[in-house]
Amino acid sequence: MNLKERDKKHLWHPLTQHKLHPDTIAIVKAKDCTLTDEDGNTYIDAIASWYTCMYGHCNTFITNRVSAQMQQLDQVVFSGFTHEPAIKLSEALMAILPQNQNKLFFSDNGSTSVEIGIKMALQYHFNRGEKRNILLAFEDGFHGDTFGAMSVSSLSVYNGPFEDYFLDVKRIPTPNGENHQSILDLLEKLVLEHDVAGFVYEPLVQGAAAMKMHNAEGLDQILKFCKVHGIITVADEVMTGFGKTGKYFASDYMETKPDIICMSKALTAGLLPMAITSCSQDIYDAFYSDDISKGLFHGHTYSANPLACSAALAGIELLQSDKIQQNIQSISVSHQRFNERIKEHPKVKATRQTGVIFALDLNIEMERYGNLRDRLFSFFMDNGVFLRPLGSTVYILAPYVITESELEKVYQTIENALEML
């Protein structure tokens, strides 16, 4: 049996209804922006494997660093112990994070980084003797699959069976440049009626909501409001972090910085699972006490794994390099040129871009996981491009190392798909 057939015996894949979609594509190797399957077919990874491999697959600069670390220290518990890769990573992150960030808490993935951010926000008030148990979140947000992260998410396709068990969350619209005052009015009403502990949000781009983008000035006003009212702000930068919006973090576009930042995905350049929740000194100080019960009693077996820390360190070094920064700018300009040639197409409803993130909405009704969406996905793959439509939205979020010719093939394949629909 080939890999695809062997897969069916025991494996259960994420976001998959296996009765409707019994087949998978078996990938046997990856390099730079190219995935190769067991039949020798190649695909341009135009979404960096869910926004992780931003410096390309099997980047030797990163793998060599991890290989060297593997010979020195592979894994050690992080409760009561420390090690140089974690310490060096903390120092490297502080150089690129917003200046109000001062402490890091390690975990395993994006969902858990958000879960920890929520716990920090709720326990911050609890430790100070304040009863605040309501969270704020944007409409259409997505923050992960653990219960706290699901609670602040609002895409029912993921959450439906579990909603009776969620934390209490009040939702507000995303700012669009015209509704700022109405959002502030709603916030005034919410803080009068509820004990609001925190605000969890994706800054500027809502990934799973089909790359829905919102206004930086309006978000800054919301963050200012939260600061005035003692509401802890938790920025979910799992998708947006590490250069994708054109700055190191999307939070860099706002004057008001979050109290807490959640990171994963490109943190380790897609090589190993790891997440970090950073916070300001003020947040940390609320847990610093002679009372042991005021500590943050949350832990993961692989917290601050030395190999993952080494991958993250190498990734940050690449991110700060002139070459990668130039590539980010070049991709952004290429997207702008593509937008000019595609935006007036009769089958394109709308386009939008932030940094290297480009999205277009098709002027066609389409279910998020429906037959037409599947047909579109198959067309892309048959033409050697891995794009994963979110319903009627097609988006590009390719590795920073993608070549001009590869990017042009992605653009051309999208244009050809429009003619096919």
Side-chain angles (χ1 to χ4, degrees):
M1 288 191 294
N2 61 20
L3 294 178
K4 182 166 68 174
E5 292 305 314
R6 288 165 61 192
D7 173 277
K8 293 178 183 178
K9 292 179 68 177
H10 304 297
L11 296 181
W12 191 345
H13 290 265
L15 305 182
T16 302
Q17 174 48 269
H18 281 266
K19 188 170 184 180
L20 298 175
H21 299 281
D23 292 324
T24 55
I25 299 169
I27 301 300
V28 296
K29 67 177 180 179
K31 184 63 180 174
D32 298 330
C33 294
T34 302
L35 304 173
T36 304
D37 71 16
E38 65 179 335
D39 297 319
N41 301 309
T42 60
Y43 314 92
I44 298 171
D45 187 355
I47 64 167
S49 289
W50 265 343
Y51 345 127
T52 58
C53 302
M54 298 310 297
Y55 314 102
H57 291 273
C58 298
N59 185 305
T60 53
F61 182 79
I62 299 171
T63 57
N64 287 343
R65 291 284 188 88
V66 174
S67 178
Q69 179 59 48
M70 195 178 294
Q71 310 306 315
Q72 180 72 25
L73 175 64
D74 53 355
Q75 163 67 7
V76 66
V77 65
F78 206 58
S79 179
F81 289 90
T82 192
H83 51 77
E84 188 177 26
I87 294 166
K88 289 177 69 175
L89 178 55
S90 72
E91 294 163 348
L93 275 172
M94 289 307 158
I96 64 171
L97 280 165
Q99 290 186 351
N100 71 326
Q101 300 297 290
N102 200 45
K103 295 290 183 179
L104 307 178
F105 195 98
F106 286 89
S107 62
D108 292 352
N109 60 71
S111 297
T112 56
S113 73
V114 173
E115 202 82 9
I116 291 161
I118 291 170
K119 282 187 170 184
M120 285 179 176
L122 293 171
Q123 192 175 341
Y124 172 87
H125 297 292
F126 180 87
N127 283 359
R128 290 157 53 97
E130 300 176 16
K131 185 182 181 301
R132 297 203 192 194
N133 57 359
I134 303 296
L135 296 169
L136 299 177
F138 279 140
E139 297 168 353
D140 296 329
F142 177 77
H143 300 281
D145 299 320
T146 52
F147 269 87
M150 282 195 297
S151 295
V152 290
S153 303
S154 64
L155 296 175
S156 60
V157 66
Y158 302 108
N159 296 350
F162 313 107
E163 291 178 352
D164 288 346
Y165 311 101
F166 285 176
L167 299 169
D168 198 346
V169 178
K170 307 301 177 187
R171 307 201 181 279
I172 61 175
T174 52
N176 59 21
E178 299 177 356
N179 62 350
H180 299 177
Q181 189 56 52
S182 64
I183 294 174
L184 294 176
D185 291 343
L186 174 58
L187 288 170
E188 288 282 4
K189 182 174 184 290
L190 288 171
V191 297
L192 283 174
E193 296 176 354
H194 304 283
D195 297 314
V196 180
F199 169 47
V200 184
Y201 63 101
E202 296 163 276
L204 301 188
V205 185
Q206 294 179 297
M211 300 300 165
K212 181 180 176 183
M213 300 179 186
H214 53 270
N215 178 271
E217 180 185 351
L219 177 54
D220 199 43
Q221 290 182 29
I222 293 169
L223 298 177
K224 281 184 168 66
F225 178 94
C226 290
K227 294 287 186 186
V228 169
H229 291 84
I231 299 168
I232 303 303
T233 51
V234 182
D236 178 355
E237 295 248 20
V238 170
M239 191 278 286
T240 52
F242 301 97
K244 300 187 194 78
T245 63
K247 296 181 182 285
Y248 290 143
F249 293 92
S251 295
D252 293 330
Y253 286 93
M254 275 68 67
E255 178 184 348
T256 310
K257 305 306 179 188
D259 300 299
I260 296 167
I261 298 178
C262 308
M263 295 164 269
S264 190
K265 291 192 181 290
L267 169 64
T268 57
L271 192 65
L272 291 164
M274 188 171 73
I276 290 176
T277 307
S278 68
C279 69
S280 67
Q281 186 68 39
D282 180 58
I283 299 296
Y284 177 80
D285 286 346
F287 294 78
Y288 191 76
S289 172
D290 291 325
D291 183 351
I292 192 171
S293 68
K294 288 190 175 182
L296 180 59
F297 276 79
H298 186 112
H300 292 257
T301 302
Y302 285 95
S303 289
N305 171 260
L307 307 182
C309 288
S310 296
L313 276 164
I316 290 172
E317 193 170 331
L318 289 175
L319 177 63
Q320 294 178 291
S321 69
D322 290 341
K323 179 174 176 54
I324 292 298
Q325 286 298 312
Q326 289 166 6
N327 287 0
I328 289 172
Q329 293 304 312
S330 177
I331 294 168
S332 299
V333 171
S334 293
H335 284 345
Q336 291 165 14
R337 289 197 295 263
F338 176 58
N339 183 61
E340 287 303 310
R341 80 192 209 203
I342 200 74
K343 66 181 182 180
E344 300 299 333
H345 193 286
K347 292 181 181 174
V348 173
K349 183 178 182 180
T351 61
R352 54 195 171 277
Q353 178 191 0
T354 299
V356 302
I357 307 168
F358 178 85
L360 65 87
D361 297 328
L362 298 171
N363 198 18
I364 300 168
E365 289 298 320
M366 193 181 302
E367 294 179 16
R368 188 178 183 92
Y369 293 108
N371 291 334
L372 187 54
R373 178 266 176 201
D374 293 342
R375 182 179 163 208
L376 190 59
F377 173 78
S378 295
F379 179 88
F380 291 141
M381 295 299 285
D382 290 345
N383 285 272
V385 177
F386 175 34
L387 288 167
R388 199 169 188 275
L390 291 166
S392 60
T393 299
V394 177
Y395 70 92
I396 306 168
L397 212 172
Y400 301 141
V401 297
I402 193 168
T403 65
E404 289 184 16
S405 61
E406 288 172 329
L407 199 50
E408 179 56 34
K409 181 176 179 179
V410 174
Y411 296 150
Q412 189 62 58
T413 302
I414 292 173
E415 288 177 307
N416 293 343
L418 295 178
E419 303 309 315
M420 175 273 296
L421 290 172

